[in-house]
Amino acid sequence: MHPAFSVIFLTTLLGAGQGLYLAMVTGQLYAIARFLPAQADQFYAVGSLVALLLLIAGLGASFFHLGRPERAWRAAAMWRTSWLSREVIVLPIVMALVFAYGVAHWFEWTQPLFQVGAALQVDLTLLLGVLGTVASLALFVCTAMIYAAVRFLQEWHTPLTVSNFLFLGAASGFMLAAAYSAYIGNPLVTFYGTWAVILTLVGLASRLAHLRRNARLKHKSTVQTAIGVRHANVVQKAQGATGGSFNTREFFHGQSRSLVERLRYVYLALVFPIPVLLIGLSYLIGSSNLPIIAFFVQFAGLLIERWSFFAEARHPQNLYYQSVA
Amino acid sequence: MTQLALVIDLNVCVGCHACVTSCKEWNTSGWAGPLADRNPYEGSPTGTFFNRVQTFEVGTFPNTETVHFPKSCLHCEEPPCVPVCPTGASYKRPDNGVVLVDYDKCIGCKYCSWACPYGARELDEQQRVMKKCTLCIDRITDAKLSERDRKPSCVLACPANARLFGDVHDPDSEVSIAIRERGGYQLMPEWGTKPANHYLPRRKTRMHIDPEEITRVDNPWRKEDLTDYTGEETLDDVAW
């Protein structure tokens, strides 16, 4: 497949935004449970604002993928069957909840509404946080299922696509939360950094399992089933036109196989070991810059990871477009 | 229920591209058009086509066969492009089974083209919407046309009569009989999309050459003297 920058930025920015929001809510839950020192409400409010900006940037990127962006509002129509419609519906819900969560913290609407059990006092921010968490997880599933649901793209048609999107998005978001904490100098760097490392390692396991699965993948369609001629030796000689077409642009990445393989090692290094080492190093030397660098290194790696995710998927229609002559 | 479809005889197709040009001509100027072309006279021409003929070589030299393979939208009975469409622009007509795109609803997200294993859909560069073979829906449903003209333009154009058109659900139709009697098959059956369009396989033919075909008995170049001269004066001797 041709990796479109619009989709690369859409999926990575949304992932980081949702992850940062989940990090904010997680931080609040830990503070309620008194595992962490309580933070000023501004901390959650600004964190939510950054998450919201990332979500808006991701939404903006998605418009560049459309031929007719002015009709994008129509895309919510087929939510019963289309994961793309479901994403289009869930994304504004997430954005609204992230916004509401940030606003509730900013104006300190933290008077308890009711009490659960002996100690848990539920206020508006907690309610919005729980709802937003559910919506965020749903959005991860919707975004990933757009790709995982296309059964012809066998490289994508696996639950590992969903777990990759979930864990890599959450990891980059927690990494951003660590960077944010380091930037403003609060003591949550270790907490977010540790979670970011855990999520990164889970993401690594998921991505390696995905790579291993795809390396062993046997494609269902062959040129023989594509044209229905049962002969071991079938070669395409001409595609009926001397130039390219939508089919030759949309389904081919146009790069050499060696570049795709080299980029795999580049993103495996940038997304996983380097940020983990940087976070570990920041604990040792107490640096406030290293978590910030760790986030940007990991995010750059995730852009390459998403590029590879597209480039490595081989569409069966390519069987009809092997020779542009 | 009616399911209109094409049946393409690969034994007959000679790869002349008449169906391609006829399709382009009819559809670019009709309901589904324009089918934009970019750089038509430049180094890298590109354009939207509903129907393309691709050529495959089968076998190893010198024992090779050339297979010309026309391919358009197969109007699947289980079209994977329809449920993925977020706007409902991609739909299957319930009355005749033709898969169509509502160009006024399409947002050009390309998701349906990813969901089609056959590469039958192409994004039009000019209108920025997804387009594909309509089975000439504007011709085949036009009651003003005579019965013989109510066929897709590629079928009418094929000089070798390699393309049949009809209802594959009607067991007595020309297409159903052809599929049944000549081993019609579907493309990529492994995906369960149940394409309505079928292909008729190439048949094994053994060439038999009669010696009389090599040396003609009635050679027209042989000097044939039809006159019987006996020495008397002929018309040529007096009229000049």
Side-chain angles (χ1 to χ4, degrees), chain A residues 1 65-68 71-72 74-78 81-82 84-85 145-147 149-154 156 220-221 223 225-229 231 233-247 249-251 310 315-317 319-321, chain B residues 10 17 44-47 52-60 67 69 71 80 82-88 103-111 113-123 125 127-130 185-193:
Chain A
M1 298 292 289
H65 194 67
L66 301 182
R68 292 283 196 154
R71 298 178 186 164
R74 286 185 177 275
M78 300 302 280
T81 57
S82 173
L84 185 50
S85 271
M145 279 307 287
I146 290 174
Y147 308 98
V150 182
R151 62 188 199 274
F152 313 110
L153 283 154
Q154 288 173 269
W156 294 353
K220 269 190 180 181
S221 291
V223 69
T225 69
I227 68 167
V229 173
H231 193 290
N233 203 349
V234 180
V235 185
Q236 187 171 14
K237 290 292 176 186
Q239 61 156 18
T242 51
S245 62
F246 172 75
N247 307 72
R249 289 189 298 273
E250 182 69 12
F251 298 98
F310 280 92
H315 198 284
Q317 80 101 37
L319 295 168
Y320 296 108
Y321 290 89
Chain B
L10 295 180
H17 291 247
S44 53
T46 180
R52 292 178 187 268
V53 179
Q54 292 152 336
T55 301
F56 294 83
E57 188 180 77
V58 179
T60 322
V67 177
F69 187 80
K71 180 172 65 67
V82 170
V84 300
C85 177
T87 67
Y103 303 140
D104 294 331
K105 279 189 187 167
C106 178
I107 58 172
C109 69
K110 305 172 197 149
Y111 196 22
S113 73
W114 296 3
C116 171
Y118 307 104
R121 294 173 160 253
E122 301 189 12
L123 190 86
E125 293 276 305
Q127 280 184 291
R128 313 289 300 152
V129 295
M130 197 55 73
Y185 65 88
Q186 296 168 317
L187 304 185
M188 294 188 190
E190 62 272 19
W191 296 115
T193 56

Side-chain angles (χ1 to χ4, degrees), chain A residues 12-20 50-51 54 168-182 193 196 200 270-272 274-276 278-279 282 288-303:
Chain A
T12 50
L13 288 169
L14 287 189
Q18 289 159 261
L20 178 58
V50 175
L54 286 168
L168 297 181
S172 68
F174 274 77
M175 203 66 87
L176 181 54
Y180 167 47
S181 297
T200 301
L270 289 180
V271 176
F272 304 107
I274 295 177
V276 170
L278 288 171
I279 289 287
S282 79
S288 62
N289 289 330
L290 286 182
I292 299 172
I293 298 170
F295 166 72
F296 282 107
V297 167
Q298 187 174 54
F299 192 77
L302 282 175
L303 293 176

Side-chain angles (χ1 to χ4, degrees), chain B residues 190-239:
Chain B
E190 62 272 19
W191 296 115
T193 56
K194 295 187 194 159
N197 282 12
H198 283 67
Y199 287 79
L200 303 179
R202 291 167 73 83
R203 276 165 278 169
K204 269 269 175 255
T205 47
R206 197 173 295 277
M207 206 185 304
H208 174 76
I209 299 172
D210 200 313
E212 283 194 9
E213 289 175 36
I214 299 171
T215 46
R216 288 182 64 158
V217 177
D218 50 344
N219 188 347
W221 295 107
R222 195 175 61 190
K223 189 141 177 109
E224 286 170 306
D225 194 356
L226 300 175
T227 53
D228 295 311
Y229 292 114
T230 48
E232 72 272 27
E233 204 171 54
T234 67
L235 195 61
D236 290 341
D237 294 327
V238 293

Side-chain angles (χ1 to χ4, degrees), chain A residues 159-165 167-168 200-212 272:
Chain A
L160 289 169
T161 298
V162 182
S163 65
N164 286 342
F165 274 57
F167 290 119
L168 297 181
T200 301
L201 293 178
V202 176
L204 176 65
S206 170
R207 195 66 174 102
L208 287 180
H210 192 214
L211 285 173
R212 191 179 141 93
F272 304 107

Side-chain angles (χ1 to χ4, degrees), chain A:
Chain A
M1 298 292 289
H2 169 71
F5 281 109
S6 51
V7 184
I8 292 171
F9 280 104
L10 160 73
T11 54
T12 50
L13 288 169
L14 287 189
Q18 289 159 261
L20 178 58
Y21 174 71
L22 293 178
M24 290 297 111
V25 177
T26 311
Q28 188 187 354
L29 290 177
Y30 270 69
I32 289 171
R34 300 185 201 288
F35 292 140
L36 285 176
Q39 296 299 308
D41 279 304
Q42 269 73 11
F43 173 76
Y44 303 113
V46 173
S48 305
L49 176 71
V50 175
L52 185 63
L53 290 176
L54 286 168
L55 294 174
I56 291 171
L59 179 65
S62 75
F63 278 88
F64 288 95
H65 194 67
L66 301 182
R68 292 283 196 154
E70 76 278 10
R71 298 178 186 164
W73 58 273
R74 286 185 177 275
M78 300 302 280
W79 56 273
R80 283 188 191 83
T81 57
S82 173
W83 282 103
L84 185 50
S85 271
R86 291 170 195 166
E87 189 196 31
V88 164
I89 292 167
V90 176
L91 177 55
I93 293 175
V94 171
M95 291 168 90
L97 287 170
V98 171
F99 178 72
Y101 178 80
V103 166
H105 271 299
W106 185 259
F107 291 108
E108 296 181 11
W109 294 335
T110 48
Q111 297 76 22
L113 298 173
F114 55 89
Q115 188 162 330
V116 177
L120 181 61
Q121 298 199 323
V122 179
D123 62 15
L124 187 62
T125 60
L126 187 58
L127 271 182
L128 289 170
V130 170
L131 287 176
T133 301
V134 173
S136 271
L137 295 175
L139 182 56
F140 270 124
V141 173
C142 290
T143 308
M145 279 307 287
I146 290 174
Y147 308 98
V150 182
R151 62 188 199 274
F152 313 110
L153 283 154
Q154 288 173 269
E155 286 85 352
W156 294 353
H157 186 55
T158 161
L160 289 169
T161 298
V162 182
S163 65
N164 286 342
F165 274 57
L166 176 63
F167 290 119
L168 297 181
S172 68
F174 274 77
M175 203 66 87
L176 181 54
Y180 167 47
S181 297
Y183 181 72
I184 62 170
N186 83 3
L188 296 189
V189 184
T190 327
F191 166 68
Y192 285 132
T194 306
W195 267 117
V197 167
I198 291 169
L199 289 165
T200 301
L201 293 178
V202 176
L204 176 65
S206 170
R207 195 66 174 102
L208 287 180
H210 192 214
L211 285 173
R212 191 179 141 93
R213 169 194 179 270
N214 285 358
R216 297 171 168 192
L217 201 62
K218 190 173 183 303
H219 282 90
K220 269 190 180 181
S221 291
T222 59
V223 69
Q224 283 80 15
T225 69
I227 68 167
V229 173
R230 276 168 198 75
H231 193 290
N233 203 349
V234 180
V235 185
Q236 187 171 14
K237 290 292 176 186
Q239 61 156 18
T242 51
S245 62
F246 172 75
N247 307 72
T248 60
R249 289 189 298 273
E250 182 69 12
F251 298 98
F252 293 88
H253 54 75
Q255 303 298 328
S256 67
R257 177 179 274 193
S258 66
L259 179 76
V260 176
E261 279 173 9
R262 262 179 287 150
L263 284 178
R264 181 183 307 154
Y265 294 109
V266 172
Y267 81 69
L268 283 177
L270 289 180
V271 176
F272 304 107
I274 295 177
V276 170
L277 289 176
L278 288 171
I279 289 287
L281 200 59
S282 79
Y283 295 169
L284 289 178
I285 62 172
S287 162
S288 62
N289 289 330
L290 286 182
I292 299 172
I293 298 170
F295 166 72
F296 282 107
V297 167
Q298 187 174 54
F299 192 77
L302 282 175
L303 293 176
I304 302 173
E305 188 270 339
R306 236 10 80 80
W307 187 93
S308 293
F309 171 72
F310 280 92
E312 284 173 0
R314 273 169 290 171
H315 198 284
Q317 80 101 37
N318 295 3
L319 295 168
Y320 296 108
Y321 290 89
Q322 298 178 53
S323 175
V324 186

